[in-house]
């Protein structure tokens, strides 16, 4: 069976018992299932196939900020995915993993010179542009390099979407996108520029958008703008409808893929454009766990704390977004339950993975997993408290590969230097 499942009271990833991984690689560590990633990619692709005609299938550009390990990128590249990048570093990773430039789109906010030039060098498919100055810079650098850049303008549709205020991006107070009126002006301006080629419009309203209700008005505003631009006499050949597709972290009811695909068919398909999507979390979120050890059980007058050897430096989502992540013990031998505050070893009270959570009773040294951390887990990890970054392990049926080694203590100081005058 693929993915994470209980076999004989022991949690497995595909065919591999998690205790074997803990023994070989130590804890904490990130463990990913290749088959879950494949299944997610295919589920999204198949939902689109069921609803959209064969010659109008969207290009799925995996938003690699969710998880940018080059092995994960390679896996998605072999499945036929494109890539959405937001930095020169992500471009570098994508090219190393084997993505060709013509499947890469750059959506970064505040694109800098070196990143723009690297993207032009790689002849990426398009730049999604955030502001007039950014457009000017792309045109200028493209002229210097004798290139022409394809441009989409990102629309701010002024809709509220996203599982948390910090990850909603489509409201008028957010820094992202341009108004419809500004895009009309930018389209005109870019048509007069020598080294940019305006080809369409993009949106991205937020992440973990759980209601179709949020996508609908954004799609409608995108469609309205396409009509206006065409009436202005411009070509609009591409629409990029962004990412934001949600996953289940707990038992929440989420919009289903078919409903989403129908929305695309109803509103975007009639525009007769090439369609692009930028899913990140959906591809990898449920494909990863953070495997940790119960370091101590600490009883205080008001709480019982389950102290893990993983901390908020390894997984920041609960601290940063009050995000829910499932916690469970790897061995299911203990049927008594207990209520814990599940915390890490970092010197902050915010270093908490779950508050007042009832799970199977855990003893010191037992293994525990924090679930659904394949997206925005390792990619947001840090060295806070001088803790080395954990290893990442990819499992595919009975194949196990260390795709990112644990940092060493020497790694922590390798880029630092003590001045001679001290
Ligand atoms: N496209 C653009 C332009 C984006 O800004 C993002 C995410 C995506 C696509 C992918 O969105 P997804 O399909 O993964 O929802 N760190 C936060 C999520 C931040 C998302 C930022 N942008 C978290 O842990 O929830």
């Amino acid at each position: 069976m693929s993915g994470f499942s209980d076999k004989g009271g022991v949690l497995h990833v595909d065919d591999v018992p998690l205790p074997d991984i803990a023994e070989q690689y130590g804890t904490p560590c990130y463990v990913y299932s290749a088959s879950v990633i494949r299944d997610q990619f295919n589920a999204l692709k198949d939902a689109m196939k069921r609803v959209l005609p064969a010659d109008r299938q969207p290009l799925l550009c995996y938003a690699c900020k969710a998880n940018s390990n080059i092995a994960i990128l390679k896996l998605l590249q072999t499945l036929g995915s494109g890539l959405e990048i937001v930095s020169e570093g992500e471009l570098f990773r994508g090219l190393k993993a084997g993505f060709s430039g013509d499947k890469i789109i750059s959506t970064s906010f505040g694109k800098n010179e070196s990143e723009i030039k690297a993207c032009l060098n790689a002849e990426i498919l398009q730049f999604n542009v955030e502001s007039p100055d950014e457009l000017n810079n792309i045109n200028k650098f493209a002229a210097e390099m004798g290139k022409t850049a394809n441009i989409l303008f990102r629309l701010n549709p002024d809709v509220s979407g996203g599982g948390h205020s910090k990850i909603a991006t489509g409201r008028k107070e957010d820094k992202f996108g341009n108004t419809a009126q500004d895009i009309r002006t930018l389209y005109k301006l870019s048509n007069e520029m020598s080294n940019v080629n305006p080809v369409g419009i993009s949106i991205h309203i937020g992440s973990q958008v759980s209601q179709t209700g949020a996508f609908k008005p954004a799609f409608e505003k995108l469609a309205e703008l396409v009509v206006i631009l065409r009436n202005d006499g411009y070509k609009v050949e591409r629409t990029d409808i962004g990412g934001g597709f949600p996953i289940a972290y707990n038992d929440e009811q989420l919009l289903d893929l078919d409903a989403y695909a129908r929305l695309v068919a109803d509103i975007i398909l009639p525009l007769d454009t090439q369609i692009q999507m930028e899913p990140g979390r959906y591809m990898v979120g449920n494909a990863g766990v953070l495997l940790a050890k119960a370091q101590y059980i600490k009883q205080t007058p008001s709480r019982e704390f389950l102290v893990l050897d993983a901390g908020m430096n390894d997984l920041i989502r609960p601290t940063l977004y009050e995000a829910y992540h499932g916690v469970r013990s790897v061995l299911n031998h203990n049927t008594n339950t207990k209520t814990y505050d599940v915390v890490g070893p970092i010197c902050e009270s915010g270093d908490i993975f779950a508050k007042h959570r009832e799970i199977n009773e855990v003893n010191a040294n037992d293994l525990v997993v924090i679930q659904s951390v394949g997206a925005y887990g390792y990619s947001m990890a840090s060295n806070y408290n001088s803790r080395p970054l954990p290893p990442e392990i990819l499992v595919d049926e009975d194949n196990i590969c260390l795709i990112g080694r644990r940092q060493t203590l020497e790694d922590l100081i390798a880029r630092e230097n003590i001045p001679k005058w001290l």
Side-chain angles (χ1 to χ4, degrees):
M1 192 173 149
S2 68
F4 298 92
S5 61
D6 198 303
K7 292 177 191 167
V10 181
L11 190 63
H12 283 58
V13 51
D14 289 10
D15 300 336
V16 180
L18 283 172
D20 289 7
I21 292 184
E23 195 179 313
Q24 195 170 350
Y25 301 104
T27 56
C29 64
Y30 275 90
V31 185
Y32 308 121
S33 160
S35 53
V36 172
I37 298 175
R38 259 187 228 110
D39 289 350
Q40 292 295 103
F41 182 85
N42 289 329
L44 187 54
K45 204 169 130 190
D46 291 348
M48 293 298 155
K49 271 195 187 152
R50 281 194 295 275
V51 179
L52 304 179
D55 59 344
R56 299 292 311 283
Q57 289 304 306
L59 176 63
L60 302 180
C61 293
Y62 167 60
C64 70
K65 59 180 81 60
N67 187 325
S68 54
N69 184 296
I70 55 168
I72 305 289
L73 299 190
K74 183 72 199 169
L75 171 59
L76 282 152
Q77 188 261 337
T78 57
L79 293 172
S81 182
L83 192 70
E84 182 257 15
I85 57 145
V86 292
S87 68
E88 193 177 352
E90 287 190 353
L91 174 70
F92 176 75
R93 287 175 174 278
L95 294 172
K96 284 278 180 207
F99 284 92
S100 60
D102 62 3
K103 281 207 160 178
I104 299 178
I105 64 186
S106 161
T107 73
S108 48
F109 185 89
K111 299 171 181 65
N112 65 43
E113 176 171 350
S114 134
E115 171 188 357
I116 294 172
K117 287 184 168 168
C119 286
L120 288 166
N121 244 332
E123 304 195 329
I124 64 164
L125 184 58
Q126 75 203 37
F127 292 83
N128 293 5
V129 164
E130 287 278 356
S131 68
D133 288 347
E134 198 176 284
L135 176 68
N136 281 328
N137 267 352
I138 295 170
N139 185 56
K140 184 174 102 189
F141 301 136
E144 278 172 28
M145 295 168 70
K147 307 256 186 199
T148 303
N150 289 326
I151 301 295
L152 269 72
F153 293 105
R154 178 166 173 180
L155 171 69
N156 180 319
D158 191 19
V159 300
S160 191
H164 187 274
S165 160
K166 285 183 182 141
I167 56 174
T169 54
R171 304 161 300 187
K172 67 171 179 298
E173 66 269 29
D174 296 323
K175 67 179 177 180
F176 299 101
N178 306 274
T179 64
Q181 195 49 44
D182 286 345
I183 291 179
R184 287 177 83 179
T185 313
L186 287 167
Y187 237 85
K188 182 171 184 308
L189 269 175
S190 52
N191 259 301
E192 290 155 7
M193 290 176 167
S194 55
N195 293 70
V196 289
N197 182 26
V199 293
I201 308 296
S202 75
I203 49 168
H204 172 73
I205 60 168
S207 201
Q208 188 67 4
V209 180
S210 48
Q211 302 299 328
T212 332
F215 285 111
K216 193 162 179 261
F219 286 4
E220 285 168 348
K221 288 191 179 170
L222 174 71
E224 255 169 53
L225 180 58
V226 171
V227 173
I228 292 172
L229 289 168
R230 285 180 176 157
N231 285 340
D232 288 347
Y234 301 120
K235 272 195 188 159
V236 185
E237 298 156 15
R238 290 182 202 165
T239 48
D240 175 346
I241 57 176
F245 203 81
I247 60 166
Y249 282 100
N250 195 359
D251 51 6
E252 58 272 57
Q253 279 298 312
L254 300 170
L255 87 129
D256 67 86
L257 279 179
D258 291 326
Y260 178 85
R262 279 196 301 276
L263 203 64
V264 177
D266 288 348
I267 307 174
I268 307 295
L269 189 67
L271 301 173
D272 205 18
T273 54
Q274 293 161 26
I275 306 170
Q276 302 167 334
M277 292 169 59
E278 304 166 0
R281 186 190 316 266
Y282 182 76
M283 300 292 201
V284 290
N286 290 138
V289 296
L290 179 56
L291 178 59
K293 191 179 72 178
Q295 194 75 55
Y296 302 108
I297 313 293
K298 177 178 175 180
Q299 181 75 58
T300 71
S302 74
R303 296 289 155 94
E304 186 148 7
F305 289 99
L306 167 54
V307 184
L308 302 183
D309 61 357
M312 67 189 254
N313 71 298
D314 302 303
L315 175 70
I316 192 83
R317 298 195 74 256
T319 308
L320 196 56
Y321 313 118
E322 287 93 40
Y324 179 97
H325 284 272
V327 178
R328 59 160 289 179
S329 56
V330 167
L331 298 182
N332 244 343
H333 54 81
N334 207 337
T335 48
N336 295 337
T337 61
K338 270 201 158 184
T339 300
Y340 300 102
D341 275 10
V342 184
V343 300
I346 302 275
C347 301
E348 294 200 24
S349 296
D351 181 25
I352 180 158
F353 294 116
K355 231 182 197 148
H356 214 66
R357 187 73 61 83
E358 188 179 342
I359 60 171
N360 285 5
E361 187 173 350
V362 172
N363 300 313
N365 294 317
D366 282 355
L367 292 172
V368 166
V369 287
I370 304 176
Q371 296 169 301
S372 302
V373 299
Y376 308 110
Y378 186 91
S379 66
M380 295 180 77
S382 78
N383 286 128
Y384 188 41
N385 278 203
S386 283
R387 287 168 49 85
L389 289 169
E392 297 174 282
I393 294 108
L394 183 66
V395 174
D396 198 358
E397 296 179 359
D398 57 357
N399 283 319
I400 307 174
C401 182
L402 179 67
I403 60 171
R405 65 164 173 81
R406 186 184 303 283
Q407 274 187 332
T408 63
L409 295 178
E410 284 299 327
D411 287 335
L412 288 180
I413 55 166
R415 42 168 288 286
E416 298 173 15
N417 180 39
I418 298 175
K420 285 195 180 55
W421 64 84
L422 288 181

